[in-house]
């Protein structure tokens, strides 16, 4: 299993500002994934973060709005840029189990409220 | 996108079996069925997955129909702590964790 730590756990932000969320894993992993969960909704994959290359974004998500860094095999950041109230969500980092394909471990999430 | 159909909510008495259905009629032959759950204010948790055969682990059992168009997750003795949103998904598994979460089933276990 993998233990994932996210910071901040929650934050209240002003419209127009940007916030960077950090994700730290206790073991080296090939890929890290960022999901968004809007209030009362299911999870939506934002992007896949690969070490040493640019992140791969899903339809509807762009790098300018959600820049991602992956400097090493245990760490990634997601920035939510130029925030609006519509960005109020829980952002979750996840990694895939190294032995069970499709088994993802999730962090506890970062709950952002944009005023 | 991989689409599944689940009932929006279900109730279950504590100690009884909870049977959660899922329809995945568009599943391909090489795609696995995955089940996750999300307890309130926590990240999703993997439960079980299967391809063709029924599967069982310490958390649950997974029954997949012969045509693979539907499956049932069984929690044999539900407890109050099993109250959560349960998500059924399918994936080749080789897409490196690209799982498409549907709306899930809110399971409420009551005393």
């Amino acid at each position: 299993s993998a233990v994932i730590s996210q910071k901040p756990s929650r934050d209240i932000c002003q419209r127009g500002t940007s916030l960077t969320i950090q994700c730290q894993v206790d073991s080296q992993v090939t890929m890290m994934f960022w999901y968004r969960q809007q209030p009362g909704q299911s999870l939506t994959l934002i992007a896949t973060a690969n070490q040493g290359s640019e992140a791969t974004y899903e339809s509807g998500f762009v790098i300018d709005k959600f820049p991602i860094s992956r400097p090493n095999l245990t760490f990634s950041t997601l920035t939510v840029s130029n925030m609006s109230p519509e960005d109020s969500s829980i952002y979750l980092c996840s990694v895939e189990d190294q032995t069970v394909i499709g088994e993802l471990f999730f962090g506890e999430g970062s709950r952002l409220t944009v005023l | 996108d991989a689409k599944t159909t689940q009932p929006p909510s279900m109730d279950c008495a504590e100690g009884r079996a909870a049977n959660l259905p899922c329809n995945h009629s568009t599943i391909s032959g090489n795609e696995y069925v995955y089940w996750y759950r999300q307890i309130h204010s926590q990240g999703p948790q993997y439960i079980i997955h299967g391809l063709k055969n029924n599967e069982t682990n310490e958390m649950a059992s997974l029954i997949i129909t012969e045509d693979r168009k539907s499956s049932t997750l069984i929690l044999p003795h539900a407890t109050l702590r099993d109250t959560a949103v349960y998500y059924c998904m399918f994936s080749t598994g080789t897409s490196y964790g690209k799982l498409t979460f549907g709306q899930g089933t809110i399971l409420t276990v009551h005393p």
Side-chain angles (χ1 to χ4, degrees):
Chain A
S1 63
V3 177
I4 301 171
S5 302
Q6 283 188 237
K7 291 182 181 179
S9 59
R10 59 178 63 229
D11 206 340
I12 299 174
C13 307
Q14 296 299 317
R15 182 196 300 259
T17 63
S18 299
L19 182 77
T20 296
I21 302 167
Q22 300 179 3
C23 178
Q24 179 75 53
V25 188
D26 68 343
S27 58
Q28 294 185 341
V29 293
T30 304
M31 296 193 181
M32 297 175 76
F33 309 93
W34 288 97
Y35 283 84
R36 179 177 75 180
Q37 188 169 30
Q38 295 176 300
Q41 300 297 312
S42 184
L43 285 79
T44 301
L45 180 63
I46 298 172
T48 303
N50 309 306
Q51 195 266 336
S53 63
E54 280 199 3
T56 302
Y57 289 83
E58 297 300 307
S59 176
F61 297 96
V62 294
I63 188 171
D64 289 346
K65 176 67 175 177
F66 298 101
I68 289 171
S69 78
R70 182 79 198 274
N72 58 52
L73 293 175
T74 64
F75 187 79
S76 178
T77 67
L78 169 76
T79 299
V80 185
S81 303
N82 188 25
M83 288 184 285
S84 66
E86 292 71 34
D87 293 319
S88 296
S89 296
I90 300 172
Y91 293 85
L92 298 118
C93 170
S94 72
V95 303
E96 186 172 38
D97 186 280
Q98 299 302 289
T99 58
V100 179
I101 299 297
E103 178 176 354
L104 297 179
F105 298 103
F106 283 83
E108 292 299 309
S110 300
R111 182 183 295 270
L112 301 188
T113 301
V114 184
L115 303 178
Chain B
D1 284 352
K3 297 292 186 184
T4 59
T5 303
Q6 298 179 253
S9 64
M10 294 182 66
D11 288 335
C12 178
E14 188 177 21
R16 304 296 294 270
N19 299 300
L20 293 95
C22 178
N23 287 324
H24 33 79
S25 57
T26 61
I27 193 170
S28 299
N30 61 343
E31 290 179 314
Y32 293 82
V33 179
Y34 289 89
W35 283 84
Y36 281 72
R37 73 179 182 184
Q38 186 175 25
I39 296 170
H40 183 63
S41 297
Q42 297 183 19
Q45 175 191 24
Y46 165 86
I47 300 174
I48 198 168
H49 76 283
L51 183 62
K52 295 181 181 178
N53 301 320
N54 298 336
E55 301 288 345
T56 296
N57 62 20
E58 64 278 5
M59 290 182 68
S61 295
L62 174 61
I63 309 297
I64 302 173
T65 59
E66 191 170 346
D67 63 7
R68 303 205 329 115
K69 294 185 183 301
S70 65
S71 63
T72 301
L73 178 75
I74 301 173
L75 307 179
H77 305 287
T79 71
L80 299 179
R81 289 175 295 179
D82 291 323
T83 293
V85 180
Y86 286 77
Y87 297 102
C88 165
M89 294 166 282
F90 57 90
S91 167
T92 59
T94 60
S95 54
Y96 298 103
K98 187 173 175 177
L99 292 175
T100 301
F101 285 78
Q103 292 306 305
T105 296
I106 300 172
L107 175 68
T108 303
V109 181
H110 51 83

